[in-house]
Amino acid sequence: MLRFDATKLIVSLAGDRAIVANLGPSTDELWHAGHRDKNFYTYGSMGLCSSIALGMAVSTDEQIISLDGDGSLLMNMGTIATIGREQPRNLIVVVWDNEEWGQTGHQPSHTAKGTDLAKVAESCSIPHTATVSDLEELASVFRTALEEEGPWFIVAKIEEAGYMPVAPIEPELTIYRMRDSFMGQ
Ligand SMILES: Cc1ncc(C[n+]2csc(CCOP(=O)(O)OP(=O)(O)O)c2C)c(N)n1
Ligand SMILES: [Mg+2]
């Protein structure tokens, strides 16, 4: 499963829900899959994607989707424990797990060496966890996650492909655009 195909699938199913993307290719591919006011692109802030999504989730009743990365989540694994502690019913975390720190030179991450992030999430009391490796499985689990209370933690095993052009988005504008998209409702 290619991350871009999986990202397009998530965008097509997300409706008007906010999506927060991990730094680098996850952010770029979210922009290329379809820029929307409720896309929150992260830049440089490795490890903070699901933390930002958690903050949004506890501040609104709307469902929030986090598209995180294995390497980033491994660097800030405490966020999994905090999600388990806070139990946000409206948070869906999807981890693009390419088993590497892709954008810094494809170094194998811990998930290539046996770390199972879905089991970590389960042990942190996140009630709904899944691991998927193709688009059909992802679509099925994600649709269920949209219907049933979370928090959800979905590890999506992906293959790395060539990188897309960097999204032409001003980081400073992202937070204002996101705030406006919530307040405008
Ligand atoms: C605190 C911090 N340390 C290191 C980096 C450099 N860095 C940027 S992205 C990245 C790897 C991210 O890996 P992952 O989340 O798995 O995403 P992938 O590159 O595989 O898409 C690293 C080490 C950074 N931006 N911030
Ligand atoms: Mg990775």
Side-chain angles (χ1 to χ4, degrees), residues 100-111:
E100 62 181 29
W101 290 282
Q103 62 204 276
T104 48
H106 304 287
Q107 300 89 354
S109 80
H110 303 48
T111 62

Side-chain angles (χ1 to χ4, degrees), residues 3 69-72 96-102 109 160:
R3 181 177 45 220
D70 57 312
S72 298
W96 298 141
D97 185 3
N98 53 7
E99 304 189 350
E100 62 181 29
W101 290 282
S109 80
E160 196 54 73

Side-chain angles (χ1 to χ4, degrees), residues 50 53 57 63-66 73 80 83-84 87-95 117-118 121-122 125-132 137-155:
S50 291
Q63 281 174 310
I64 307 291
I65 298 157
S66 171
L73 205 44
I80 303 177
I83 292 166
Q87 296 286 315
R89 292 175 300 172
N90 55 342
L91 179 61
I92 303 170
V93 175
V94 178
V95 185
L117 290 172
E122 193 182 335
S125 305
I126 294 181
H128 303 289
T129 64
T131 299
V132 299
E137 285 180 313
L138 176 61
S140 170
V141 172
F142 190 71
R143 280 197 182 97
T144 307
L146 292 175
E147 295 297 320
E148 295 182 11
E149 286 188 351
W152 281 82
F153 190 94
I154 303 164
V155 175

